Amino acid sequence: MKRVAGVVYANRVVISVAIMLCAGLCVGLRQAMADEGMWLFNNLPKQLLRERYGFEPSDEWAQHVMLASVRFSTGGSASFVSSRGLVITNHHVGSDVLQKLSTPERNYYRDGFYAKTLEEELPAPDLELNQLVSIEDVTERVRAAVRPEMSPAEAAAARRAAMATIEKESFDRTGLRSDVITLYGGGRYHLYRYKRYTDVRLVWAPEMAAAFFGGDADNFEYPRYCLDVCLFRVYEEGKPAKTEHFLRWSEKGAADGELVFVSGNPGRTRRIYTVAALKHQRDVRLPLMLDLLRRREILLQQYGLEDEEAQRQAQEDLFSVQNARKAYTGMLLGLQDPRFMAAKEHEEESLRRRLSESPQLAKFAKAWERIAQVQQRRAEIIRQTATFRSQLYQIAETLVLLAQEDTKPSAERLREFRDSARPSLLQQLFSPAPIYPELDRTLLADSIALFVERRGGDHPLVAAVLAGKNPQERAAELVAGTQLADVEVRKRLAEGGLAAVTNSSDPMIRLALEMNAEYRRLRQIEEELDEIEQQAYAEIAELRFALYGTTTYPDATFTLRLSFGPVKGYVENGKPVPPWTTLGGAFAHEERHQARPPWKLPESWHRAKDKLDPDTPFNFVCTADIIGGNSGSPVINKNAEFVGIIFDGNIQSLTADYFYSDEVARAVAVHSSAIREALEKIYHADRILDELGK
Amino acid sequence: MKRVAGVVYANRVVISVAIMLCAGLCVGLRQAMADEGMWLFNNLPKQLLRERYGFEPSDEWAQHVMLASVRFSTGGSASFVSSRGLVITNHHVGSDVLQKLSTPERNYYRDGFYAKTLEEELPAPDLELNQLVSIEDVTERVRAAVRPEMSPAEAAAARRAAMATIEKESFDRTGLRSDVITLYGGGRYHLYRYKRYTDVRLVWAPEMAAAFFGGDADNFEYPRYCLDVCLFRVYEEGKPAKTEHFLRWSEKGAADGELVFVSGNPGRTRRIYTVAALKHQRDVRLPLMLDLLRRREILLQQYGLEDEEAQRQAQEDLFSVQNARKAYTGMLLGLQDPRFMAAKEHEEESLRRRLSESPQLAKFAKAWERIAQVQQRRAEIIRQTATFRSQLYQIAETLVLLAQEDTKPSAERLREFRDSARPSLLQQLFSPAPIYPELDRTLLADSIALFVERRGGDHPLVAAVLAGKNPQERAAELVAGTQLADVEVRKRLAEGGLAAVTNSSDPMIRLALEMNAEYRRLRQIEEELDEIEQQAYAEIAELRFALYGTTTYPDATFTLRLSFGPVKGYVENGKPVPPWTTLGGAFAHEERHQARPPWKLPESWHRAKDKLDPDTPFNFVCTADIIGGNSGSPVINKNAEFVGIIFDGNIQSLTADYFYSDEVARAVAVHSSAIREALEKIYHADRILDELGK
């Protein structure tokens, strides 16, 4: 499962989603079952692990794994694998950087890259890696800010202010990125402190054809044969960072049946969702998302028809969109299964029956109704947006909001503009990564056309947006007229504050100003709805704690979690699917498809074929509970050794958003042995092999 | 502009649509302007032609051209080009047959076909060609059936009955296919009698790579280089039909600036539409259609990824969908142009101001309001469907409706089940064309999923459709269980009537029975809305006749029309676009794209390259007023000689649905000289060249 880059038409920060299709419906909401769980590092299921696997992770073990884990700001996971800042992640997590570093002349994304020396390592233009260094429970402080008499809007503002204040205090005191994370849908608030690495350099990446062998067709399928891996290095003060905590490379990888762990940042799950909220996903949100994804997929395909250079520009975005489309399709299929919804309804009814057991519990009864009401309001506004999917427009919008928000104290601002988030925000805003005007114009034109469709051509805001032209002409005029491709212009506007922005004659800024009131109106509504839901889910979480205890895990929040489970094959259509594939199998897979793209291995592989050990394990599956955002997560053994790296889930795993199953759903990883074998015999990356040890 | 096969999710009969983007908005509704017009053969603009071009077509000329013109039941135009039944049309009009004749071993659609002898000509499985032989005005008789006191439902039924009775009488008397055509949105009713040809055989087709050179990327673009042509022959009693009226091949084709005519069957225009109806198209219908087209495009692409055979099965459908998606995208862009809608509003206001001029006119005032109300009701139900896009399901649905309708007199049946339409209906229903179970399952699963999305998972009909499974499993079960792929089974069910159908245990029939009440409910609503609109547009047409006279043309109705205009280049982005391209230009175009598919000419072309005259005109443009459905229309000169064949409109022509422009919008044709040159030097089709004469 690749990162769902863009979670299309969402705003800014982007995380991955994936999901599972379960043949034998086993909705494990009441108590984590089998190997279910994306566990908090400060609340690991030690007893469960001891009882089931005879292994209890020590605090030191957990602390070591946490510090060896890394999060990609672009939406993926990774880990340190040397003491000199070497970071391993998926090719498809690094792809954003590979794309940004590529030029018409050097297509690293397609052709791969290897820095033979430290000096050749290529700085990523705007990447930020986060290393989680501490967790603190701040639930009481956040809760105290919200008083019962407050309206949802007031409560949301008060909560936002409390969180921003906690974050600012922490940031001022420690200099660390400080994020208050909402857990259990609002049941708990934890302060996560991260060390930020912003000097990140590309070390090595294989060819696209090896990393994404089988392409969109094989995506979410198994057996698989992908070297979906690349290497970066973090630097501090111009030198490789010293990374005390890193994962040692396992000599043999994991054996069939062996317990393994996955340490990464699952993006988002919805396992706590009420039936009403799930039905909103099924009947409203997912169908709409899929329409948008398919629209974008066709648009990018069409753009790429022009010539090879256009194809290069659109490729990475296209793959991300295809990945998301395939993931959401499976997700929706799961939701549309009557058996799934019946099981969820049954579970919810059981829980709600418990409400009558005691007066303390009865007070929670309204939570479900409030959530149901929120779904209705969401459905009413879901087609209203007030932004455009174009990089240049997004920059304009950010500049306008930044100038406006900065006139307020940090705690009162929209969340992404708070002081403690400023370094990360500016790194993105001032990114020197290339913006392709033709591509951006194409995206903007389509986005404007979509806006016209959704509001209807007679809407007054539509008239303002179009300014008398059709969407194509208007987009062309905006992209040709704006200066925002120039980072210096952005910096001047950001420094100039509100006056600079409001007096700007840049057409993209003017458009963002035009949209501003509507944008804020929608944000306000969303914040209110989120707040109502958060309060309701917090009550449901409290109810669950009261009934089932606190040995449970919260829904995924793109923060560090630990999952576990054995390496284990499964049965599909009556046939056993073995837990791993081999390098030799990749060549056989190519042959089965007559080497038609996307089943054409790179030339480098064919050159090295005779030297490769065909029995080297290549990809493997385990039952660990993962989802989008886990891409690039290290798979480790009990000794915290690196045995592989997560890069996908099989098609049966595509409803993990809503429930876990270990019957046939599996996480898919690249085996550590295949990575070494390829680095040695295909890519001749000797200095890296030395660094990895053994 | 290719046929919009499937006008997606519409019911049964399928015609093409295309459309024009006009830079310099010249909405010519009041009076036909420039070379505007898709003229009725019984109301040709003789005076206009005489005044502007000094040429007045005689009645004999018109009769000859009419009888030499042919309509494809699958949605395109064609003409006779020999006295022995030889028919020329576009490759993309014949593609439906080419696809149906192809097998995993012989891919005629991709690789082309040539019958070296009469005996080798390949019978098309279910094709029907229609030759228009007479036109009769039956307006008074149809109108007399509808009385003012009738409700819309009663009026619609009465009108339907009157039309069916006229058709049945004509059919019984003449044996000819007899269709009452609604013209001017309801202002006139004409009875069209057609000779049906049902023994149609494939004679020759080039390779896909020549017919659709440049593929989806070049589609609707100009300059173009496509040999979008193929040849059929109609047979009677096992022998080539004697076709007295045919078009003689012009020796030189048409010269720059020469007046040419296009005789064909434009599918549908909406030039009479009120502003309210246009806004419904803009804000509701087209966005929805495009979502569906993109959905289908991705689905077929994904299906084709599996292997070459899957690709072969899906290819023709995929191209049709891509063509429609590109056409509708341009169409919507035109509607979203504020200048376009302002011009339409201005025109409508001018017309409505005239209403106050006399008491006779004042009575028409309500027509616009009634049309506006219909649009609102259409918007409310547009997402409700009660059918599934699968061949096997469509067969089941037809069998169920047929059995039910046949219990009523012909005049009271749903229109497609009337006696006079029976031969054509049965030819389709009992077609031996292959149905690919995997492809049909894929389409059905998606269609069921769409139904669930649109109704919401909790709808009782959804529960009935899914029968406890998810859409994929349900579709698999239905396709595996049905016997309807067997033509004999269909025949037995059709012969068995209502009892056979209602007692059938075939799961697809059961599903169609389950859907029947809802299907009929929606048909009923649509019929009512159509009736209200038809009455209103009839009034507006009457008003126009009163104000502007009857020398005008009605909106396109997939019936025979004559368009005209000179061969003429245009100016794009300041650069002149010459009126034609050459065969040599095709090779240069290939080279410009490094022969990457779809810019790779077939090997047969490269083998013949040295022999070909590179200066042979290949494609050319003229200003004739055409639209989808005109695909395959002969282009003729004043002597009624064949000078080319329409196959596309340029991108600027993509709003012709709503208005005509001759500034930059152009019809695109294959030049007669290129066809001869290719038949001789590339395809060595000597017997055909002899038959074409000269």
Side-chain angles (χ1 to χ4, degrees):
Chain A
M1 129 212 61
K2 296 182 58 200
R3 172 175 58 92
V4 175
V7 178
V8 178
Y9 299 92
N11 228 10
R12 253 159 235 120
V13 178
V14 150
I15 26 170
S16 344
V17 186
I19 22 152
M20 309 235 175
L21 215 207
C22 173
L25 277 168
C26 40
V27 181
L29 267 180
R30 215 175 296 183
Q31 289 261 329
M33 48 188 301
D35 298 322
E36 175 173 354
M38 301 167 169
W39 299 90
L40 297 171
F41 268 76
N42 56 347
N43 190 19
L44 294 181
K46 293 185 178 181
Q47 187 189 343
L48 192 155
L49 281 166
R50 192 177 57 238
E51 288 170 5
R52 195 175 307 152
Y53 293 105
F55 171 74
E56 186 172 323
S58 66
D59 289 348
E60 292 70 33
W61 188 96
Q63 178 79 359
H64 171 68
V65 172
M66 180 178 101
L67 290 169
S69 301
V70 184
R71 185 176 71 176
F72 267 60
S73 60
T74 47
S77 301
S79 56
F80 291 125
V81 285
S82 91
S83 61
R84 291 192 291 146
L86 195 65
V87 172
I88 190 164
T89 187
N90 290 146
H91 183 276
H92 79 262
V93 169
S95 61
D96 177 70
V97 173
L98 290 167
Q99 176 72 17
K100 285 175 177 168
L101 288 174
S102 292
T103 64
E105 294 76 35
R106 304 166 312 176
N107 191 344
Y108 300 133
Y109 179 53
R110 186 190 59 194
D111 303 332
F113 173 80
Y114 175 50
K116 288 203 183 109
T117 62
L118 265 189
E119 290 67 36
E120 288 179 18
E121 295 181 356
L122 279 182
D126 54 13
L127 186 60
E128 172 178 328
L129 302 195
N130 297 139
Q131 175 194 33
L132 178 60
V133 295
S134 77
I135 303 177
E136 187 184 326
D137 191 328
V138 293
T139 306
E140 287 317 308
R141 214 175 141 190
V142 174
R143 282 213 184 134
V146 176
R147 290 186 309 276
E149 70 274 16
M150 286 176 168
S151 74
E154 289 166 345
R159 193 187 305 279
R160 174 152 52 83
M163 288 162 74
T165 303
I166 293 168
E167 289 160 342
K168 185 167 163 47
E169 282 174 16
S170 167
F171 177 64
D172 289 348
R173 201 172 69 239
T174 63
L176 294 168
R177 173 175 176 146
S178 301
D179 298 343
V180 173
I181 311 297
T182 303
L183 299 167
Y184 302 98
R188 292 287 182 277
Y189 297 88
H190 288 179
L191 172 62
Y192 278 44
R193 292 197 186 89
Y194 295 99
K195 177 157 183 173
R196 292 173 71 233
Y197 291 96
T198 54
D199 184 353
V200 188
R201 306 190 191 173
L202 178 63
V203 176
W204 168 80
E207 306 88 339
M208 182 70 185
F212 197 38
F213 183 56
D216 187 30
D218 274 8
N219 198 13
F220 298 110
E221 305 291 339
Y222 196 76
R224 276 295 269 297
Y225 311 85
C226 290
L227 190 69
D228 194 350
V229 174
C230 63
L231 294 167
F232 288 88
R233 189 188 303 281
V234 293
Y235 281 68
E236 287 184 301
E237 295 169 7
K239 288 185 185 144
K242 290 196 174 115
T243 41
E244 186 191 343
H245 291 277
F246 67 92
L247 303 174
R248 288 181 195 281
W249 209 268
S250 154
E251 196 163 357
K252 302 212 131 190
D256 192 0
E258 181 177 337
L259 174 68
V260 293
F261 297 85
V262 174
S263 171
N265 301 272
R268 172 148 195 191
T269 54
R270 294 173 165 84
R271 294 182 191 171
I272 202 183
Y273 268 27
T274 66
V275 168
L278 289 170
K279 288 182 174 175
H280 173 76
Q281 298 286 314
R282 178 191 67 186
D283 296 337
V284 181
R285 185 173 161 271
L286 286 191
L288 187 71
M289 296 286 284
L290 278 162
D291 276 342
L292 292 175
L293 284 166
R294 287 183 289 245
R295 178 183 185 122
R296 201 167 172 83
E297 184 169 351
I298 300 287
L299 189 75
L300 292 167
Q301 281 181 354
Q302 291 287 304
Y303 181 79
L305 289 181
E306 184 61 28
D307 55 32
E308 273 208 20
E309 171 55 12
Q311 196 177 5
R312 186 191 70 77
Q313 291 172 9
Q315 193 73 296
E316 201 258 339
D317 201 4
L318 177 60
F319 284 149
S320 292
V321 168
Q322 290 180 320
N323 178 63
R325 183 254 308 141
K326 202 161 176 181
Y328 281 114
T329 302
M331 207 158 151
L332 180 56
L333 185 67
L335 286 176
Q336 288 185 337
D337 194 318
R339 293 161 296 190
F340 165 75
M341 204 56 84
K344 284 283 188 185
E345 277 167 348
H346 176 75
E347 195 269 338
E348 185 165 303
E349 279 158 23
S350 308
L351 183 62
R352 294 179 75 172
R353 264 199 298 276
R354 304 283 296 270
L355 295 175
S356 52
E357 287 178 8
S358 82
Q360 279 102 313
L361 298 183
K363 67 181 177 187
F364 296 122
K366 295 263 181 200
W368 279 270
E369 287 161 39
R370 296 206 307 272
I371 290 168
Q373 284 157 7
V374 167
Q375 307 316 309
Q376 289 216 329
R377 289 188 58 197
R378 286 201 192 282
E380 286 159 21
I381 60 158
I382 196 167
R383 296 173 73 84
Q384 291 179 30
T385 54
T387 188
F388 302 106
R389 279 284 284 195
S390 120
Q391 281 187 278
L392 291 166
Y393 181 79
Q394 291 292 313
I395 290 166
E397 184 183 87
T398 302
L399 285 167
V400 167
L401 291 170
L402 179 71
Q404 294 172 335
E405 292 300 291
D406 275 358
T407 61
K408 309 172 196 167
S410 174
E412 291 173 22
R413 294 178 205 148
L414 291 173
R415 200 159 152 64
E416 68 270 30
F417 295 101
R418 67 197 192 276
D419 282 344
S420 62
R422 186 56 50 100
S424 303
L425 180 81
L426 294 185
Q427 193 184 4
Q428 289 301 312
L429 183 59
F430 301 147
S431 166
I435 295 172
Y436 302 105
E438 267 306 287
L439 180 57
D440 213 52
R441 184 191 62 68
T442 301
L443 296 172
L444 182 59
D446 183 67
S447 194
I448 290 176
L450 178 69
F451 183 74
V452 180
E453 287 176 32
R454 290 182 157 192
R455 299 289 173 137
D458 289 345
H459 194 282
L461 202 50
V462 164
V465 168
L466 289 178
K469 298 170 196 71
N470 75 35
Q472 293 277 0
E473 293 167 333
R474 179 60 168 143
E477 169 185 82
L478 286 161
V479 170
T482 185
Q483 303 294 314
L484 297 178
D486 183 344
V487 174
E488 292 310 311
V489 171
R490 293 179 219 165
K491 285 188 177 162
R492 278 202 299 277
L493 279 164
E495 281 156 20
L498 198 55
V501 162
T502 46
N503 296 326
S504 167
S505 61
D506 188 285
M508 209 66 91
I509 295 279
R510 301 308 319 162
L511 180 60
L513 287 166
E514 197 85 64
M515 299 295 286
N516 187 255
E518 179 65 2
Y519 177 86
R520 286 182 175 278
R521 184 183 74 83
L522 292 174
R523 281 284 298 249
Q524 177 70 27
I525 293 172
E526 273 162 30
E527 195 178 60
E528 272 184 54
L529 298 181
D530 286 348
E531 176 63 27
I532 298 170
E533 275 191 328
Q534 211 167 108
Q535 290 185 13
Y537 279 121
E539 290 181 22
I540 293 174
E542 230 182 291
L543 174 65
R544 284 181 192 282
F545 292 149
L547 294 173
Y548 311 129
T550 52
T551 312
T552 177
Y553 65 95
D555 265 318
T557 45
F558 196 45
T559 52
L560 197 66
R561 304 292 179 90
L562 192 73
S563 306
F564 60 86
V567 174
K568 194 176 171 188
Y570 55 102
V571 175
E572 194 172 33
N573 301 326
K575 278 184 283 186
V577 179
W580 51 62
T581 63
T582 63
L583 285 177
F587 289 96
H589 195 57
E590 182 187 39
E591 214 174 294
R592 261 196 307 283
H593 291 90
Q594 294 95 40
R596 289 192 306 147
W599 290 281
K600 191 162 166 36
L601 286 166
E603 278 179 38
S604 62
W605 282 57
H606 285 281
R607 277 198 303 271
K609 188 178 175 188
D610 292 343
K611 279 170 265 159
L612 291 170
D613 176 357
D615 297 329
T616 311
F618 193 177
N619 291 173
F620 69 99
V621 288
C622 66
T623 65
D625 189 0
I626 61 139
I627 199 149
N630 268 118
S631 284
S633 301
V635 185
I636 58 180
N637 60 20
K638 291 179 201 166
N639 299 325
E641 291 171 327
F642 181 96
V643 299
I645 183 167
I646 294 293
F647 76 98
D648 206 356
N650 66 359
I651 200 101
Q652 293 91 341
S653 81
L654 280 174
T655 44
D657 206 9
Y658 310 113
F659 61 89
Y660 170 85
S661 157
D662 65 0
E663 192 181 332
V664 286
R666 290 292 181 277
V668 185
V670 189
H671 197 280
S672 55
S673 301
I675 301 171
R676 279 199 73 99
E677 183 81 356
L679 284 173
E680 183 187 336
K681 296 181 181 167
I682 302 173
Y683 299 102
H684 313 295
D686 300 334
R687 71 176 185 102
I688 302 303
L689 287 165
D690 288 346
E691 190 173 344
L692 294 175
K694 291 217 181 86
Chain B
M1 131 212 59
K2 296 181 59 200
R3 172 177 57 93
V4 176
V7 179
V8 177
Y9 298 92
N11 227 12
R12 254 159 236 116
V13 178
V14 150
I15 25 170
S16 344
V17 187
I19 23 157
M20 309 235 176
L21 216 206
C22 173
L25 276 169
C26 39
V27 181
L29 267 180
R30 215 175 296 184
Q31 289 262 330
M33 49 187 300
D35 299 322
E36 176 173 356
M38 300 168 170
W39 299 90
L40 297 170
F41 268 76
N42 57 346
N43 190 20
L44 292 181
K46 293 185 177 179
Q47 186 189 341
L48 191 154
L49 281 166
R50 192 177 57 239
E51 287 170 3
R52 195 175 308 152
Y53 294 105
F55 171 76
E56 185 172 324
S58 66
D59 289 347
E60 294 69 33
W61 188 97
Q63 178 79 358
H64 171 67
V65 172
M66 180 177 100
L67 291 168
S69 301
V70 186
R71 185 176 71 174
F72 267 60
S73 60
T74 47
S77 301
S79 55
F80 291 124
V81 285
S82 91
S83 62
R84 293 193 290 146
L86 196 64
V87 172
I88 191 164
T89 188
N90 291 145
H91 183 275
H92 79 263
V93 170
S95 61
D96 177 69
V97 174
L98 291 167
Q99 176 73 16
K100 285 174 177 168
L101 288 174
S102 292
T103 64
E105 294 75 36
R106 303 166 312 176
N107 192 343
Y108 300 133
Y109 179 53
R110 185 190 60 194
D111 303 332
F113 173 81
Y114 175 50
K116 288 203 182 108
T117 62
L118 265 189
E119 291 66 36
E120 289 179 18
E121 295 181 357
L122 278 183
D126 54 13
L127 186 60
E128 171 179 328
L129 302 195
N130 296 139
Q131 176 194 34
L132 177 60
V133 295
S134 78
I135 303 176
E136 187 183 327
D137 191 327
V138 293
T139 306
E140 286 318 307
R141 214 176 141 190
V142 174
R143 281 212 185 135
V146 176
R147 291 186 308 277
E149 70 276 16
M150 287 177 168
S151 73
E154 289 166 345
R159 193 187 304 279
R160 173 152 53 83
M163 288 162 73
T165 303
I166 294 167
E167 289 160 341
K168 185 167 165 46
E169 283 174 16
S170 166
F171 177 64
D172 289 348
R173 201 172 70 240
T174 63
L176 294 168
R177 173 176 176 144
S178 301
D179 299 343
V180 173
I181 311 297
T182 303
L183 298 167
Y184 302 98
R188 292 288 182 276
Y189 296 87
H190 289 180
L191 172 62
Y192 278 45
R193 292 198 186 89
Y194 295 98
K195 177 160 182 170
R196 292 173 70 232
Y197 292 96
T198 55
D199 184 353
V200 188
R201 306 191 190 172
L202 177 63
V203 176
W204 167 82
E207 305 88 340
M208 182 70 187
F212 197 38
F213 184 55
D216 186 30
D218 273 8
N219 198 14
F220 299 110
E221 305 291 340
Y222 196 77
R224 275 296 269 296
Y225 311 86
C226 289
L227 190 69
D228 194 351
V229 174
C230 63
L231 294 167
F232 288 87
R233 189 187 304 281
V234 292
Y235 282 68
E236 287 184 301
E237 295 168 5
K239 288 184 184 144
K242 291 197 173 111
T243 41
E244 186 191 342
H245 291 277
F246 67 92
L247 304 174
R248 288 182 196 283
W249 209 267
S250 155
E251 196 165 358
K252 303 214 132 191
D256 191 1
E258 181 178 337
L259 175 67
V260 293
F261 297 85
V262 174
S263 171
N265 301 274
R268 173 147 195 191
T269 54
R270 293 173 165 84
R271 295 183 190 169
I272 202 184
Y273 268 27
T274 66
V275 168
L278 289 170
K279 287 182 174 175
H280 174 75
Q281 298 286 315
R282 179 191 67 186
D283 296 338
V284 181
R285 185 173 161 273
L286 286 191
L288 187 70
M289 296 285 285
L290 278 163
D291 276 342
L292 291 175
L293 285 166
R294 287 183 289 243
R295 178 183 185 123
R296 201 166 173 82
E297 184 169 352
I298 299 286
L299 189 74
L300 292 167
Q301 280 181 354
Q302 291 286 306
Y303 181 78
L305 289 181
E306 184 60 27
D307 55 30
E308 274 208 18
E309 171 55 13
Q311 196 178 6
R312 185 190 71 77
Q313 292 172 9
Q315 193 73 296
E316 202 257 339
D317 201 3
L318 177 60
F319 284 150
S320 292
V321 168
Q322 290 180 321
N323 177 64
R325 184 253 309 142
K326 202 161 176 179
Y328 281 114
T329 302
M331 207 160 152
L332 181 55
L333 185 67
L335 286 177
Q336 287 185 338
D337 193 317
R339 292 161 297 190
F340 165 77
M341 204 55 84
K344 284 282 187 186
E345 276 168 349
H346 177 75
E347 196 269 339
E348 185 165 305
E349 280 159 22
S350 309
L351 183 62
R352 294 180 74 171
R353 264 198 299 276
R354 304 284 295 270
L355 295 175
S356 53
E357 286 178 9
S358 82
Q360 281 103 311
L361 298 183
K363 66 179 177 186
F364 296 122
K366 295 264 181 199
W368 280 269
E369 286 161 39
R370 297 205 306 271
I371 290 168
Q373 284 157 7
V374 167
Q375 307 316 309
Q376 287 216 328
R377 290 189 58 196
R378 286 202 191 283
E380 286 160 21
I381 60 158
I382 196 167
R383 296 173 74 83
Q384 291 179 30
T385 54
T387 188
F388 302 106
R389 278 285 284 195
S390 120
Q391 282 186 277
L392 291 166
Y393 181 80
Q394 290 291 312
I395 289 166
E397 183 183 87
T398 302
L399 286 167
V400 167
L401 291 170
L402 179 71
Q404 294 172 335
E405 292 300 291
D406 275 358
T407 62
K408 310 173 195 166
S410 174
E412 290 173 22
R413 294 179 205 148
L414 291 173
R415 202 160 149 65
E416 67 271 29
F417 295 100
R418 67 197 191 278
D419 282 344
S420 63
R422 186 57 48 99
S424 303
L425 180 81
L426 294 186
Q427 194 183 6
Q428 288 302 314
L429 183 58
F430 301 146
S431 167
I435 295 172
Y436 301 106
E438 266 306 287
L439 179 57
D440 213 51
R441 185 192 61 70
T442 301
L443 295 172
L444 182 60
D446 183 66
S447 194
I448 291 177
L450 179 69
F451 183 74
V452 179
E453 287 175 33
R454 289 181 158 193
R455 298 289 172 137
D458 290 344
H459 194 281
L461 202 50
V462 164
V465 167
L466 289 178
K469 298 172 196 68
N470 75 36
Q472 293 276 0
E473 292 167 334
R474 179 62 168 143
E477 170 184 82
L478 286 161
V479 170
T482 185
Q483 302 294 314
L484 298 177
D486 182 343
V487 175
E488 292 310 312
V489 172
R490 295 178 218 165
K491 285 187 177 159
R492 278 201 299 276
L493 279 164
E495 282 155 19
L498 198 55
V501 162
T502 46
N503 295 326
S504 167
S505 60
D506 189 286
M508 209 66 91
I509 296 279
R510 301 307 321 161
L511 180 60
L513 286 167
E514 197 86 63
M515 300 295 287
N516 187 255
E518 179 66 2
Y519 177 86
R520 287 182 175 278
R521 184 183 74 85
L522 292 174
R523 281 284 297 251
Q524 177 70 28
I525 293 173
E526 272 162 31
E527 196 178 58
E528 272 184 55
L529 298 181
D530 287 348
E531 176 63 27
I532 298 170
E533 276 192 328
Q534 211 166 110
Q535 291 186 13
Y537 279 121
E539 290 181 22
I540 293 174
E542 231 183 290
L543 174 65
R544 285 182 192 280
F545 293 148
L547 294 174
Y548 311 129
T550 53
T551 312
T552 176
Y553 66 95
D555 265 318
T557 46
F558 196 46
T559 52
L560 197 66
R561 305 293 180 89
L562 192 73
S563 307
F564 60 85
V567 174
K568 195 175 170 189
Y570 55 102
V571 175
E572 194 173 33
N573 301 327
K575 278 184 282 186
V577 179
W580 51 60
T581 63
T582 63
L583 284 178
F587 290 96
H589 195 56
E590 182 188 39
E591 214 175 292
R592 259 196 307 284
H593 292 90
Q594 294 95 40
R596 288 192 307 146
W599 290 280
K600 191 162 167 38
L601 287 166
E603 276 178 40
S604 63
W605 283 56
H606 284 282
R607 277 197 303 271
K609 188 177 174 188
D610 293 343
K611 279 170 264 160
L612 292 170
D613 176 357
D615 296 330
T616 311
F618 194 177
N619 291 172
F620 69 99
V621 288
C622 67
T623 65
D625 190 0
I626 61 139
I627 200 149
N630 268 119
S631 285
S633 301
V635 186
I636 58 180
N637 60 21
K638 291 178 200 165
N639 300 326
E641 290 171 327
F642 181 95
V643 299
I645 183 167
I646 295 292
F647 75 98
D648 205 358
N650 65 1
I651 200 102
Q652 294 91 342
S653 80
L654 281 174
T655 44
D657 206 9
Y658 310 112
F659 60 90
Y660 170 84
S661 156
D662 66 359
E663 191 181 333
V664 286
R666 290 294 181 275
V668 185
V670 189
H671 198 280
S672 56
S673 302
I675 301 171
R676 278 200 72 100
E677 182 81 356
L679 283 173
E680 183 186 336
K681 297 181 180 166
I682 302 173
Y683 300 101
H684 313 294
D686 300 334
R687 72 176 184 103
I688 303 303
L689 287 165
D690 288 345
E691 191 173 343
L692 294 175
K694 288 212 184 92

